[in-house]
Amino acid sequence: MTRQPRKQRTRQRRAPLHEKQDQVRAHLSADLREEYGTRSVRVNVGDTVEVQRGDFAGETGEVITVDLKEAAVHVEDVTLEKADGEEVPRPLDASNLLVTKLNLEDDLREERLEAGGDDE
């Protein structure tokens, strides 16, 4: 693996979608970490997250979309106003989020979390 920052960034940008899923992982809150025995989890639509860094730090909301191509997460009520007055969701990096509530509608996701492994 190269140490050159330019090549590192290029690899991240050009990664296939199955590898980009690792780029949208966020830390779990302390109680969820204790309950499931894992430190981080892939952010899914429907999860409730708290923004930890940036202009929206402290904001809590539900995940609206997860864009794997851009490795960006869009959170409810975290928006920017365009010049024409339209509100658009602010793309956030998953590393700046803390998952406070999980969406467990997916049985496979719940099964993986219960196993306590790092499979997700």
Side-chain angles (χ1 to χ4, degrees):
M1 177 75 91
T2 181
R3 292 191 320 223
Q4 288 185 331
R6 169 178 48 92
K7 289 185 180 179
Q8 293 278 338
R9 287 190 292 267
T10 301
R11 261 184 80 94
Q12 274 190 321
R13 203 171 38 251
R14 294 181 178 174
L17 290 181
H18 73 280
E19 289 179 12
K20 287 229 180 197
Q21 291 195 25
D22 289 337
Q23 296 177 19
V24 290
R25 291 179 70 88
H27 283 245
L28 287 172
S29 62
D31 54 330
L32 288 175
R33 187 180 300 184
E34 190 175 310
E35 181 180 345
Y36 293 110
T38 186
R39 187 177 189 87
S40 67
V41 70
R42 183 195 185 285
V43 178
N44 280 2
V45 173
D47 289 347
T48 304
V49 296
E50 180 183 339
V51 181
Q52 298 288 298
R53 300 270 187 276
D55 296 335
F56 294 96
E59 293 279 331
T60 303
E62 192 172 307
V63 175
I64 304 168
T65 58
V66 178
D67 184 0
L68 284 182
K69 188 170 174 127
E70 299 296 324
V73 178
H74 298 117
V75 179
E76 196 174 55
D77 298 330
V78 177
T79 58
L80 296 173
E81 190 174 328
K82 289 174 48 173
D84 64 1
E86 183 185 354
E87 293 280 324
V88 294
R90 164 77 157 83
L92 300 169
D93 194 70
S95 65
N96 296 331
L97 302 174
L98 179 73
V99 178
T100 55
K101 186 177 175 199
L102 292 166
N103 177 11
L104 296 176
E105 289 178 7
D106 183 10
D107 295 333
L108 182 59
R109 184 182 202 207
E110 189 172 11
E111 193 178 300
R112 286 177 175 170
L113 282 168
E114 294 296 335
D118 201 32
D119 299 337
E120 197 185 59

